[in-house]
Amino acid sequence: MAEIERLMKLPEAERPRLVMAYFNEPDHSGHSFGPASKQTRTAVESLDRLLGMLYADLRALPHGDDINFIVTSDHGMASTSPERIIRLSEYLEADWCERVLPDLPALIFPKKGHDDDILRALSGVPHLRVWRREDVPAYLRYGSNPNVAPIVVLPDEGWTVSEDGRVIPGNHGFDPTQPELYVPFRAAGPDFRRGYVKTEIFDNTCIYPTLCRLLGIEPAPCDGEVVEEMLISE
């Protein structure tokens, strides 16, 4: 917080045009205690107070009215539990896989010739979806990278792929169209329409090109589009 204010108090010629800060709460508490826990609520309330003080301090600067202020998150979080576990070993033969990464999503590197065996075994398993990398639905924007494993397994929201039974109380990486994975987006400043409320959900991928528009720079090729309707037209 202090560093943000120091940067924004620099003379105009030295002042950065973009300052970004990341807070590890409430993510840490959400993972450790669950998104609906008292600890996570306390973390949210504490961060809310800190951001309120930062906002007031920035607006009080001589050039405060020229600052665009944005608050958002990289992901939401869903509650998980040991009662909602999928053990892939119950469906797969050990000699079918080179490696299995039980993450969200889970990634499977098959041994040669066993792709179809894995897909058949996991198709229809409750609370998960499975695809070849190239068949991951386009809206997930995931399967086109060559570093992604040949087979992708995505559990339903709140379910976890785990062999040892250990599960943290909260997690993300599920289908981002599920409400628990939504995030807030609040913005205020000279380039944003005052009092505007966007009722439709938009992807986080839109934040990067929107920031580029505010900075007057050309964005690199990406999945997102500028959210035009929240900005004041030139």
Side-chain angles (χ1 to χ4, degrees), residues 49-91:
R49 288 191 294 270
L50 287 172
L51 289 175
M53 290 187 290
L54 176 62
Y55 182 80
D57 289 347
L58 293 181
R59 283 287 181 254
L61 295 173
H63 55 280
D65 290 340
D66 298 327
I67 298 173
N68 288 308
F69 195 89
I70 298 172
V71 177
T72 188
S73 176
D74 51 344
H75 54 72
M77 189 170 292
S79 297
T80 50
S81 76
E83 287 73 42
R84 296 194 298 273
I85 286 178
I86 302 168
R87 290 178 170 84
L88 297 183
S89 61
E90 295 179 359
Y91 306 95

Side-chain angles (χ1 to χ4, degrees), residues 3 13 21 38 54 72 80 104 114 130 135 156 180 201 217 227:
E3 179 63 10
K38 292 181 179 179
L54 176 62
T72 188
T80 50
L104 281 166
H114 288 291
V130 58
D135 295 330
D156 288 347
E180 292 295 322
I201 299 297
I217 59 178
V227 188

Side-chain angles (χ1 to χ4, degrees), residues 99-112:
R99 189 159 44 118
V100 177
L101 303 179
D103 205 341
L104 281 166
L107 302 176
I108 300 177
F109 295 84
K111 289 184 178 179
K112 187 175 181 179

Side-chain angles (χ1 to χ4, degrees), residues 22-30 32-33 39-40 43-44 46-47:
Y22 174 78
F23 299 88
N24 69 344
E25 287 287 10
D27 181 75
H28 174 74
S29 293
S32 301
F33 306 105
Q39 294 90 334
T40 300
V44 170
S46 176
L47 184 58

Side-chain angles (χ1 to χ4, degrees), residues 187 192-198:
F192 289 96
R193 292 172 57 187
R194 187 177 181 86
Y196 173 74
V197 177
K198 183 171 176 58

